[in-house]
Amino acid sequence: MDVGHLPASEFDSAGFEQTLMGSPEENPVPDMVQLLTIDGEVRHDPTYSSYVADLTADELRGFYRDMFLVRRFDEEATALQRQGELVMWVPMTGQEGVQIASGRALMPQDYVFPTYREHGVAYTRGLELSHLLRRFRGISHGGWDPREANFHLYTLVLAAQVPHAVGYAMGMARDRLVNPKLPEAATVAYFGDGASSEGDVHEGMVFAASYNAPVVFFCQNNHWAISVPTEVQSRVPLANRARGYGFPGIRVDGNDVLAVHAVTRWALEHARSGGGPVLIEAFTYRMSAHTTADDPTKYRLSADEEAWLDRDPLLRLEKHLRSRDLVDDAFFEDLREEGRNMAVRLRENVQAMEAPGFEDAFTDVYAEAHPLVREELNAHRAYEAGFADSDADPTAASREHTA
């Protein structure tokens, strides 16, 4: 075993990952790639260390800044929902390392198909964070133009984005056959451990393997599909599933930004260059509720949550940066001030959002005017006109009736 790989047992404790069914020979637990220990020390891996060797001090500080700001964004969005400004919110606290590290590994030509929790990935693609809240404010079906940053709209139906990612990847590969001058590109399909049980994931992987599509399947294993633990979702480690489709599967420490960044860079390079699909299982933990409509205390022990606090991706990277004298206290104070200012702007932007008019819904069905939609709109207008004018004398109708 290479020193950069860890047995999953390092992360095992009560409530984490129970023993899987079957013998070790039948269902071996894959080694977990880790480049940064819980104490912030760097480990060497012969396969993946080279993919982060070129990171500069500014880029490492940038990883921490990104994680800090998206966590502050997540906290503010949760507060906005609790105060009635958002209909619902999907927290991501604890998963910042997975999202920032993988998002920063993407090239501009790559295309992302997210679920509904990839706020950190969206941030790395340059999206205005307040735009993510339009949908959760209930004023938009989307919130942004996915073509501007190659970041698709959030998918609320579990795993529905996976076949889309595969089909898009197949299309990009065929485009390059027609025009070899196009840059090599890949798609990334993000999904959770709960969504991995959906048939869409199976179908997507079958197609990707059959057509050697340049797609990276990125599973954020945060241990809980709402209230169902991972060991109920699968009797084998999720990364092992890739073998059944004939492509590589990698398990990586999801709270290690260096390891996730390295593994994602390798996987994207593999996919773009014609090597075919890759499955990444990022082993992390959802520190907050599944959504703001969820109460994790009903199914999760507080001791399990506390045991993961030491594995916080921000804390781990902070230890590394401080040990190398790459940051000082002023860096963190400036960052806290930046976070406070960002939260103020976010709240102002959300409270300034105005709901569209009802008639606007008729304009979003087709790109061009359609006679059937126009007919429905006219019917709606006639229906609205049938109501009494609220500004009129309320006794007028009764006087007219008795006259």
Side-chain angles (χ1 to χ4, degrees), residues 50-367:
S50 61
Y51 285 89
V52 292
D54 59 343
L55 291 177
T56 65
D58 283 342
E59 288 173 316
L60 291 174
R61 286 189 290 265
F63 280 166
Y64 187 92
R65 176 182 178 273
D66 291 346
M67 290 193 296
F68 181 91
L69 290 179
V70 296
R71 177 171 292 187
R72 185 65 184 86
F73 162 73
D74 189 43
E75 293 170 351
E76 190 66 21
T78 300
L80 285 166
Q81 193 282 327
R82 296 306 190 200
Q83 295 162 7
E85 299 291 349
L86 303 179
V87 179
M88 185 185 73
W89 180 241
V90 185
M92 61 164 288
T93 297
Q95 299 179 222
E96 297 89 351
V98 175
Q99 297 193 15
I100 295 302
S102 61
R104 289 301 180 196
L106 294 161
M107 298 293 287
Q109 67 269 23
D110 297 325
Y111 203 105
V112 177
F113 287 83
T115 58
Y116 40 68
R117 201 188 302 274
E118 276 66 65
H119 320 315
V121 183
Y123 180 72
T124 66
R125 299 301 277 176
L127 267 72
E128 168 60 47
L129 289 176
S130 63
H131 293 178
L132 300 179
L133 302 185
R134 290 173 177 171
R135 189 167 196 165
F136 297 99
R137 176 83 162 171
I139 66 169
S140 172
H141 293 299
W144 62 90
D145 185 343
R147 295 166 295 186
E148 291 181 355
N150 280 5
F151 186 83
H152 200 61
L153 298 176
Y154 275 0
T155 305
L156 301 185
V157 179
L158 282 184
Q161 75 280 6
V162 176
H164 300 166
V166 175
Y168 199 94
M170 292 167 60
M172 290 195 301
R174 280 154 179 73
D175 286 346
R176 289 202 75 245
L177 290 176
V178 176
N179 184 4
K181 294 183 179 180
L182 290 174
E184 294 180 344
T187 65
V188 181
Y190 286 91
F191 56 94
D193 49 294
S196 70
S197 296
E198 296 290 329
D200 302 67
V201 173
H202 167 73
E203 293 160 4
M205 290 185 176
V206 168
F207 264 86
S210 299
Y211 293 94
N212 207 47
V215 56
V216 174
F217 298 101
F218 203 111
C219 177
Q220 294 181 78
N221 181 356
N222 63 20
H223 283 69
W224 291 96
I226 306 184
S227 59
V228 179
T230 305
E231 59 266 19
V232 176
Q233 293 288 330
S234 177
R235 289 177 177 251
V236 301
L238 298 178
N240 284 5
R241 291 183 174 180
R243 292 187 299 169
Y245 301 99
F247 53 79
I250 309 168
R251 177 180 264 196
V252 62
D253 180 352
N255 288 14
D256 174 357
V257 291
L258 296 186
V260 174
H261 188 69
V263 166
T264 308
R265 286 184 67 178
W266 179 91
L268 287 168
E269 182 181 282
H270 177 90
R272 293 191 204 105
S273 62
V278 178
L279 169 62
I280 297 174
E281 177 195 359
F283 202 73
T284 184
Y285 196 80
R286 168 167 56 81
M287 295 299 294
S288 49
H290 178 74
T291 71
T292 48
D294 170 46
D295 180 5
T297 64
K298 299 294 185 183
Y299 56 83
R300 203 165 69 181
L301 298 176
S302 59
D304 292 344
E305 298 177 15
E306 292 172 0
W308 275 86
L309 292 176
D310 290 339
R311 298 179 171 90
D312 186 324
L314 278 81
L315 178 60
R316 188 183 305 190
L317 185 56
E318 178 182 347
K319 291 178 179 178
H320 175 67
L321 293 171
R322 286 187 182 275
S323 69
R324 294 180 57 190
D325 293 326
L326 298 179
V327 294
D328 55 17
D329 291 341
F331 169 81
F332 296 101
E333 181 53 41
D334 290 344
L335 198 50
R336 283 190 287 270
E337 181 63 21
E338 184 179 0
R340 285 190 288 266
N341 293 334
M342 180 199 70
V344 171
R345 292 194 304 272
L346 182 73
R347 179 172 292 272
E348 292 174 348
N349 289 340
V350 169
Q351 293 177 335
M353 292 177 182
E354 296 182 0
F358 186 83
E359 289 193 6
D360 292 339
F362 292 89
T363 66
D364 296 335
V365 182
Y366 294 98

